């Protein structure tokens, strides 16, 4: 699964460009390997940089958002089962509520 660029910057998907720039500066400063001794600081710093590259470019952000919307399903199997169960309930409720036809004599 791809990284969540909004989460990397600690932002909501409707963040403005100014919010993205501000969050990038804060996170990049915090996770910079020269300033942060944590073992994963370099990896987090790279994630913040990549997030900024994507979210600060209008075209790349639009493509990322479109792809993100398509992949928002947390558990595709569970979602598919829920869709089919709802569909089956609708079909069964429709068929049981319609008047039953009596055979022609």
């Amino acid at each position: 699964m791809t990284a969540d660029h909004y989460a990397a910057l600690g932002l909501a998907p409707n963040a403005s460009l100014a919010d993205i720039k501000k969050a990038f500066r804060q996170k990049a400063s915090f996770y910079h390997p020269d300033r942060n001794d944590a073992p994963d600081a370099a990896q987090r710093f790279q994630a913040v940089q990549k997030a900024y590259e994507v979210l600060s470019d209008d075209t790349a952000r639009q493509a990322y958002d479109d792809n993100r919307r398509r992949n928002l399903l947390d558990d595709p199997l569970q979602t598919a089962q829920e869709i089919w169960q709802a569909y089956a309930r609708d079909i069964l409720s429709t068929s049981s509520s319609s008047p039953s036809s009596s055979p022609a004599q």
Side-chain angles (χ1 to χ4, degrees):
M1 187 168 169
T2 61
D4 184 349
H5 296 315
Y6 292 107
L9 294 176
L11 296 171
N14 61 347
S16 69
L17 183 57
D19 293 335
I20 292 168
K21 288 180 180 182
K22 181 179 177 182
F24 168 71
R25 281 189 232 104
Q26 289 173 345
K27 297 282 184 179
S29 176
F30 182 78
Y31 288 119
H32 196 282
D34 291 344
R35 294 183 176 186
N36 192 325
D37 294 334
D40 65 341
Q43 181 181 6
R44 288 184 175 234
F45 180 74
Q46 289 174 351
V48 168
Q49 283 184 312
K50 179 64 176 168
Y52 180 73
E53 287 174 18
V54 171
L55 299 180
S56 64
D57 178 272
D58 288 337
T59 306
R61 183 178 183 180
Q62 184 63 47
Y64 173 75
D65 287 343
D66 290 345
N67 189 44
R68 190 170 181 264
R69 274 191 224 59
R70 284 191 295 270
N71 294 320
L72 278 180
L73 303 176
D74 292 330
D75 183 356
L77 181 59
Q78 179 184 355
T79 303
Q81 289 172 341
E82 290 170 2
I83 291 169
W84 280 107
Q85 288 169 355
Y87 176 73
R89 277 193 304 272
D90 288 347
I91 295 297
L92 292 175
S93 68
T94 302
S95 65
S96 65
S97 66
S98 64
S100 50
S101 55
S102 57
Q105 294 180 353

